[in-house]
Amino acid sequence: MLTLVLAESSIERVPKQLAEHPSVIAQAQRRGKPPGSLILDRSYHHSGMRMLERQDPSQAFEKRGRPDIAFHILLQVLGSPLNREGLLRTYVHTTEDKVIEIDPQIRLPRNYDRFVGLLEQLYEQGSVPTGEHPLLRIQDCTLTRLVDESRASMTIAFSTVGESTTMKDACSLMTGTSAPVVLIGGFAHSHFEQSTTKIADHIFSVDKEPLDAWIVAARVVYEYECGMKLPKKRLRVTEGRAFNNRPS
Amino acid sequence: MLTLVLAESSIERVPKQLAEHPSVIAQAQRRGKPPGSLILDRSYHHSGMRMLERQDPSQAFEKRGRPDIAFHILLQVLGSPLNREGLLRTYVHTTEDKVIEIDPQIRLPRNYDRFVGLLEQLYEQGSVPTGEHPLLRIQDCTLTRLVDESRASMTIAFSTVGESTTMKDACSLMTGTSAPVVLIGGFAHSHFEQSTTKIADHIFSVDKEPLDAWIVAARVVYEYECGMKLPKKRLRVTEGRAFNNRPS
């Protein structure tokens, strides 16, 4: 079982200081929602975010307003054979220390606006759907606590400042352990906080250039599958089935 | 050099029969564009598309209105080390026999609406930006002609109806040839047309269940990189650089 954590993901609601910015009000009107219930998004609120950055340069906005990153990663990993086998747990940890727990059986919307709508609903209600068996649930939780509670046998983070290693070699380390946890940055630029790197047993860099987080995530999941020979195992099942279905 | 073709992709402008449908008019007004210049999108025009399907069941709408599929695939493959090395050519072939040629150096918008905006511009102008060195160019071209002109040494298509093979084995076939072409369906459901499967030297199925096209694309590119030992080669360059940068 692999646990994949998108760490320090750029997901949050529009902050109070931006609630009256024209870019936010326009979007709120278009969607018929209160400004404070919108998810911050650099694509739509760029001018407002730049204004805040200029007013208070200590505000680190580079790691904010990119819910699309989690979207691209989730589409890659939730559709994988590993997840379909029930061998993947996926969590989204955010810069505000919230954790979104994802039911592996969720079928995520393929459309970005609908994904963001789902996040808005999640922040509003705490879970989606509400009730006993939510597909998404959000709670206050630090990354340290999340990794602790997943009883990680080994924690590996991927970062450009890590030790140069191929993805294959990084994943072969995990294949031998019972409950590996992988941390991938859910942000566009910048680096992990020290509090994150401290959790990791290994920090690896798998290319000479920074790769998009969704590319790293896709490769981790695939190499982990290969390490446990899942591609062959799943094809054998098909062949078996095809054989059984032959008219006798 | 690998050539990746998204074949029969679900990208087209809103058809005339839908131009006056409320779902299309509403979106056209919101975006300040004529209805006919919009890209057909199941997420927004679903009710209109269902109406057309009911009126004329021979209209195969299942393969239409999913530009998001090309978006997800392109984000995966254009950011890959293979593409950054200039060793990947990517084309989007559409159900209407148009081909979008993509400059490997393009930096695609990360936001879906902006990607669709780019497509609208492309269909309007024929290229983006207009001028001598476009990053995107669209032309009328059949898939057969595209594969012919790329002088394919081997053409491999991925499809659930293909021969069961692991991705690793499928890609190892390609590594030995000079100019392999891979066809991945740029649609959600259904299968390749016969005219497409006829072009392929091999048709492979890499899992017992249908996989999202963007997952298959990510894995093809990664396995092709591994086959040519690109991950190791690129890391060696970094180490060299790091060494050279040390203060003497």
Side-chain angles (χ1 to χ4, degrees), chain B residues 190-202:
Chain B
S190 185
H191 298 289
F192 283 129
E193 301 295 319
Q194 261 205 330
S195 55
T196 299
T197 50
K198 255 186 5 199
I199 303 173
D201 300 309
H202 302 277

Side-chain angles (χ1 to χ4, degrees), chain A residues 30 41-44 66 68 71-72 75-82 84-85 107 110-114 164-169 189 205-212 214-215 218-219 221-223 225-226 230-232 234-235 237-239 241, chain B residues 30 41-44 66 68 71-72 75-82 84-85 107 110-114 164-169 189 205-212 214-215 218-219 221-223 225-226 230-232 234-235 237-239 241:
Chain A
R30 213 164 46 233
D41 195 325
R42 192 116 219 169
S43 301
Y44 304 116
R66 291 291 309 273
D68 60 297
F71 177 58
H72 300 313
L75 275 188
Q76 271 293 328
V77 304
L78 295 175
S80 68
L82 190 70
R84 292 178 187 196
E85 289 283 333
R107 194 183 140 79
R110 272 49 183 147
N111 175 275
Y112 177 62
D113 289 339
R114 288 187 206 278
S164 289
T165 316
T166 62
M167 183 57 87
K168 189 174 205 68
D169 288 342
H189 308 291
S205 164
V206 293
D207 194 63
K208 66 174 178 175
E209 292 178 83
L211 295 180
D212 294 315
W214 49 87
I215 293 181
R219 291 173 177 210
V221 168
Y222 176 62
E223 274 292 4
E225 286 179 13
C226 290
L230 193 62
K232 279 198 177 165
R234 280 176 63 91
L235 288 174
V237 172
T238 327
E239 286 156 19
R241 279 190 191 161
Chain B
R30 214 164 47 234
D41 195 325
R42 191 117 218 167
S43 302
Y44 304 116
R66 290 293 308 274
D68 60 296
F71 177 57
H72 299 314
L75 275 187
Q76 271 294 328
V77 304
L78 295 175
S80 67
L82 190 69
R84 292 178 188 195
E85 290 283 334
R107 193 182 141 78
R110 271 51 183 145
N111 175 275
Y112 177 62
D113 289 339
R114 287 186 206 279
S164 289
T165 316
T166 62
M167 183 58 87
K168 191 175 204 67
D169 288 342
H189 308 292
S205 164
V206 293
D207 194 62
K208 66 175 178 174
E209 292 178 84
L211 296 180
D212 293 315
W214 48 87
I215 293 182
R219 292 174 176 209
V221 167
Y222 176 63
E223 274 293 3
E225 286 180 14
C226 291
L230 193 62
K232 280 198 177 167
R234 280 177 62 91
L235 287 174
V237 172
T238 328
E239 285 155 21
R241 278 191 192 161

Side-chain angles (χ1 to χ4, degrees), chain B residues 69-99:
Chain B
I69 295 172
F71 177 57
H72 299 314
I73 295 176
L74 292 177
L75 275 187
Q76 271 294 328
V77 304
L78 295 175
S80 67
L82 190 69
N83 191 54
R84 292 178 188 195
E85 290 283 334
L87 297 171
L88 179 69
R89 286 287 166 275
T90 312
Y91 297 92
V92 179
H93 164 261
T94 77
T95 45
E96 297 176 312
D97 275 339
K98 292 183 185 293
V99 166

Side-chain angles (χ1 to χ4, degrees), chain A residues 69-133:
Chain A
I69 295 172
F71 177 58
H72 300 313
I73 294 176
L74 293 176
L75 275 188
Q76 271 293 328
V77 304
L78 295 175
S80 68
L82 190 70
N83 191 55
R84 292 178 187 196
E85 289 283 333
L87 297 171
L88 179 68
R89 287 285 166 276
T90 311
Y91 298 93
V92 179
H93 164 262
T94 76
T95 45
E96 297 176 312
D97 274 339
K98 293 182 185 293
V99 166
I100 303 171
E101 193 181 331
I102 299 165
D103 185 316
Q105 298 197 24
I106 194 173
R107 194 183 140 79
L108 222 59
R110 272 49 183 147
N111 175 275
Y112 177 62
D113 289 339
R114 288 187 206 278
F115 171 73
V116 171
L118 205 62
L119 286 181
E120 286 166 358
Q121 209 185 333
L122 180 66
Y123 271 75
E124 192 68 36
Q125 303 173 349
S127 62
V128 177
T130 51
E132 258 188 81
H133 303 292

Side-chain angles (χ1 to χ4, degrees), chain A residues 6 9 31 71 81 88 92 120 142 149 162 168 187 191 204:
Chain A
L6 319 191
S9 301
R31 314 202 39 182
F71 177 58
L88 179 68
V92 179
E120 286 166 358
T142 63
E149 289 180 359
K168 189 174 205 68
F187 47 84
H191 298 289
F204 292 132

